[in-house]
Amino acid sequence: VQLQASGGGSVQAGESLRLSCKYSGNILKIVFMNWHRQAPGKQRELVARSVIDGTTNYLDSVKGRFTISRDNAKNTAYLQMNSLRPEDTAVYYCNFAGWDSNSNEFDRWGQGTLVTVSS
């Protein structure tokens, strides 16, 4: 299972970005689909989570601004980020956990994509 994150960039406060995470491999089931971020000098934090039962959870500071979604036909997960703030500046990582076609558990991370928001 491999993940390829993209979509980061430099924007002004208030603008939007959409991050993508294309996944490949013999995946049977994705149980958790997560987006994390790590800002300079800070610990990595979970930004958004989508669970197989349809539940979504968000970091309080991004609620109402960020949306996690998935397009099965394109094998791609997304993080739509609106009304970006300078404090959203970080490297963003996608992370999936689930089961592959051999019934083995997997927990994979994408390579990270940098989001920079200037005021």
Side-chain angles (χ1 to χ4, degrees), residues 75-115:
N75 283 1
T76 303
Y78 302 100
L79 183 68
Q80 177 67 44
M81 306 186 295
N82 298 329
S83 302
L84 282 162
R85 304 169 181 170
E87 54 264 38
D88 295 319
T89 295
V91 177
Y92 285 72
Y93 301 88
C94 55
N95 158 233
F96 289 6
W99 301 84
D100 66 21
S101 58
N102 295 317
S103 298
N104 296 316
E105 291 186 44
F106 69 84
D107 188 341
R108 294 287 188 268
W109 290 75
Q111 83 284 12
T113 184
L114 177 63
V115 172

Side-chain angles (χ1 to χ4, degrees), residues 11-91:
V11 297
Q12 298 287 322
E15 294 182 342
S16 299
L17 278 175
R18 188 178 74 165
L19 305 183
S20 300
C21 183
K22 189 168 181 62
Y23 51 94
S24 61
N26 297 319
I27 297 174
L28 177 63
K29 186 179 298 183
I30 296 172
V31 179
F32 294 106
M33 182 174 67
N34 307 312
W35 285 95
H36 302 254
R37 70 185 180 189
Q38 186 165 20
K42 296 188 177 181
Q43 290 190 335
R44 188 174 296 183
E45 60 184 356
L46 177 62
V47 175
R49 165 169 286 174
S50 176
V51 186
I52 192 171
D53 65 359
T55 304
T56 55
N57 302 103
Y58 296 92
L59 185 67
D60 283 347
S61 63
V62 308
K63 284 180 182 177
R65 300 188 298 122
F66 290 13
T67 303
I68 189 171
S69 64
R70 172 179 170 181
D71 186 334
N72 290 329
K74 295 182 179 180
N75 283 1
T76 303
Y78 302 100
L79 183 68
Q80 177 67 44
M81 306 186 295
N82 298 329
S83 302
L84 282 162
R85 304 169 181 170
E87 54 264 38
D88 295 319
T89 295
V91 177

